[in-house]
Amino acid sequence: MAGMMTTVRQRRVGKCTEEAEEQPSEEKSIKPDRKILSDHTGGKLWNILSITVGGIVAISLGFLTSVYIATLHENDLWFSNIKEVEREISFRTECGLYYSYYKQMIQAASIQQGLHGLVYDNKTESVRTINILERMNVYQEVFLSILYRILPIQQYLEPVYFYIYTLFGLQAVYVIALYVTSWLLSGTWLSGLLAACWYITNRIDTTRVEFTIPLRENWALPFFAVQIAAITYLLRTNLQPARQKLTFMAVFIATFLFSLTWQFNQFMMLIQALALFVLDCFDLLPTAKVTWLYIIQISGLLLVCVLQFFNSMILGSLLISFNASVLIARTIQKNLKKGPLLNRLGKLILHVLLVLCLTLVINKFIKKILNLESDEHIFKFLKAKFGFGATRDFDANLYLCEEAFGLLPLNTFSRLSDTLLFYIYIFVLLFMTVAAVIVAFRNLSCSNQVQLMEKMGECTIILKPDAAYNLIHTVLFGCLALSTMRMKYLWTSHMCVFASFGLCSTEVWKLVLKCVHLYTSQRMHVMKYSIPIITLLYISYKFWPGIMDELSELREFYDPDTVELMNWIKSNTPNTAVFAGSMQLLAGVKLCTGRTLTNHPHYEDKNLRERTKQIMDGLGENEPDLKPSTYPRFCEEIKKNLPSYTTHFIRVFQNKTFHVYKLAKHK
């Protein structure tokens, strides 16, 4: 019994011991859960704090950029002190033409009358009635003028200030969009801060808004930056359906506003569509999202087409033909992304050829049916620029003779290098390009999705869809900028985003450190945060004094000859007078005096280009093989007051810069 008792007691003790041993284990199992919960809560609070601080920094930088640019504009012209005519003259060339429609809407007796004046305009081109809303992208001027009329601000703010402050305000949107894109790519708002600082310190090469305020690109590029930010977010993996729908809506709105505000929208979006096409072919983007982006581009452009009274240049755009061709080719070629490497490469080459052929056929068909010739000057310019067309074609030379449409000057890179932007951009670009090539080859080598996922699990080099898109975007727009200086602003602003992302990217530093066999998680995080902070300190130290000097430098608008000309026209010519001359000057004549013009600097119309061809002025360089003309140059000969000229032309005004002649009346 004692043994049994002992045994029982031992068992009871054992049971108690087991229970005693199990109890701490339960506590141990609870403690990690509490720790995980605590870490999760702490991480969530940290994310909220980080997003709040990052958002405040983004808005502050956007606001400061607007104030900075507005101050530079004021200091350069003393805009608040000069006369109204001088303010208007400061809107040079096509800028003055666009602003004139805002002024016209403001001065109209009613909104309806103002709109009627734009739809049935007979002042912009003499003996022609044209629809300004169809011909030009001026809906922003219409919207702004209506807003100015209905808001109770007339007593406090002049129309011109409402206009320029809106454009300077859009710069805030621009900077915030660049900041957010970089933040989304890198995962840290430090990257956005660096992108915004680079944008500001490289202002000469990232924007020209302070001296070309009404230019179409200054309206459009902020919306384009918003669109890129939205696409970057859209291409994130595991995006919730509700957020995905909202992001698609944001992309559509930004695409529509970008298309509405710039006549070159279709060409920029064509490059974007090419980027999507390349990435989709190499399985670097999800096909379903790419398809929706094609549809959004077409929808946005067609909506603009409707608002612009079915503008022929939009209907015949290569973008619509290309996107439609891609969608058709996909339905014809099924199982494009299956099979071994050589099989897939063969299918890919056929797919590319099919898309190109369909694009040309569809575009040619549309232009033939609708008899479209509005954009032929663009293709003549491209052919002449790259040596495939006649260099003496007038339409092509309208662009080729302008410095803005020449090659990107080499001194641009030295300026961008001063802020370290270009060096870091090239460094990031090289690494990302190598990663993209490796990932693309890996994708093509996998015959099915399961095999691809297995390889991705084994591989250390991963290229996220959002990073892949921004890589090909910067490469294609870089090529555009190198070929055409005016388009550099599309590239340099994104260069700030891409370089800052790379400098703050976990993937880039991980790859770099692994290449030199120095990778540890701690080192990677040290590099990710220390290098951007050092770069920011360097930029601040080197460029802050220069920015302060720039803000303290005061100048004043001074162009007495043009002011005298405009005042003379207003005082000494009837409202029905018609003026011929250089396109650049005539835009100012329309804005300052409201007189009728024969031509103007908005080239996107064949009839206007034909008319402009008959009104040439100024000296130009001749090609070596050209023979001197037997006829003297009109603009030089008329100043000699020879009888053959004075019979037909009477000089009515003259100063050091300008001569005005009136056609003599003969019975």
Side-chain angles (χ1 to χ4, degrees), residues 45-61 179-180 183 188-190 192-193:
L45 288 171
W46 175 253
N47 284 340
I48 292 169
L49 180 63
S50 177
I51 289 169
T52 303
V53 173
I56 291 169
V57 172
I59 293 167
S60 302
L61 280 170
Y179 180 107
V180 169
W183 185 359
T188 171
W189 57 262
L190 181 63
L193 174 61

Side-chain angles (χ1 to χ4, degrees), residues 79 84 87-107 118 136-138 140-142 144-145 158-164 167 213-216 219 587 590-592:
F79 202 74
E84 184 68 21
R87 290 175 180 174
E88 292 176 350
I89 291 169
S90 72
F91 298 139
R92 304 285 186 180
T93 65
E94 61 185 294
C95 296
L97 183 67
Y98 298 131
Y99 182 79
S100 72
Y101 300 118
Y102 170 75
K103 180 182 176 182
Q104 184 177 323
M105 282 290 296
I106 292 286
Q107 292 179 344
L118 293 179
M136 304 181 197
N137 297 71
V138 294
Q140 50 267 50
E141 276 76 20
V142 172
L144 217 57
S145 63
E158 295 175 63
V160 67
Y161 276 105
F162 184 64
Y163 187 91
I164 66 172
L167 267 301
I213 298 171
L215 209 60
R216 302 300 82 182
W219 286 96
K590 184 182 186 309
L591 170 58
C592 297

Side-chain angles (χ1 to χ4, degrees), residues 168-186:
F168 296 149
L170 275 177
Q171 282 296 298
V173 175
Y174 198 2
V175 169
I176 291 169
L178 297 175
Y179 180 107
V180 169
T181 306
S182 188
W183 185 359
L184 288 170
L185 287 167
S186 66

Side-chain angles (χ1 to χ4, degrees), residues 368-411:
K368 191 75 174 175
I369 292 294
L370 300 177
N371 193 27
L372 304 181
E373 296 178 317
S374 302
D375 61 352
E376 62 177 9
H377 63 300
I378 301 290
F379 297 105
K380 286 181 180 178
F381 159 69
L382 292 173
K383 285 179 182 178
K385 186 175 183 66
F386 297 108
F388 297 112
T391 55
R392 294 175 198 162
D393 181 84
F394 177 76
D395 291 349
N397 281 315
L398 272 175
Y399 289 98
L400 289 172
C401 66
E402 290 191 34
E403 186 183 0
F405 289 94
L407 298 176
L408 187 67
L410 292 177
N411 60 8

Side-chain angles (χ1 to χ4, degrees), residues 225-325:
V226 170
Q227 188 226 41
I228 294 166
I231 290 175
T232 301
Y233 184 73
L234 177 70
L235 294 175
R236 285 187 156 194
T237 52
N238 303 321
L239 201 62
Q240 294 175 358
R243 289 186 178 183
Q244 187 167 297
K245 287 177 183 177
L246 286 173
T247 310
F248 271 126
M249 184 60 69
V251 173
F252 174 76
I253 292 169
T255 302
F256 166 69
L257 291 173
F258 169 68
S259 302
L260 189 66
T261 50
W262 198 16
Q263 70 268 29
F264 292 137
N265 56 64
Q266 53 171 298
F267 302 105
M268 303 308 110
M269 288 201 296
L270 177 61
I271 293 172
Q272 192 176 51
L274 286 170
L276 294 170
F277 178 70
V278 170
L279 292 166
D280 184 34
C281 286
F282 290 104
D283 276 354
L284 294 170
L285 293 184
T287 301
K289 289 182 179 179
V290 172
T291 302
W292 276 109
L293 289 173
Y294 286 142
I295 293 168
I296 284 172
Q297 283 190 329
I298 294 173
S299 304
L301 205 57
L302 288 178
L303 183 55
V304 171
C305 181
V306 172
L307 286 173
Q308 288 194 257
F309 297 81
F310 298 94
N311 183 297
S312 60
M313 192 170 169
I314 296 174
L315 287 172
S317 69
L318 272 175
L319 175 69
I320 291 176
S321 303
F322 177 78
N323 286 11
S325 300

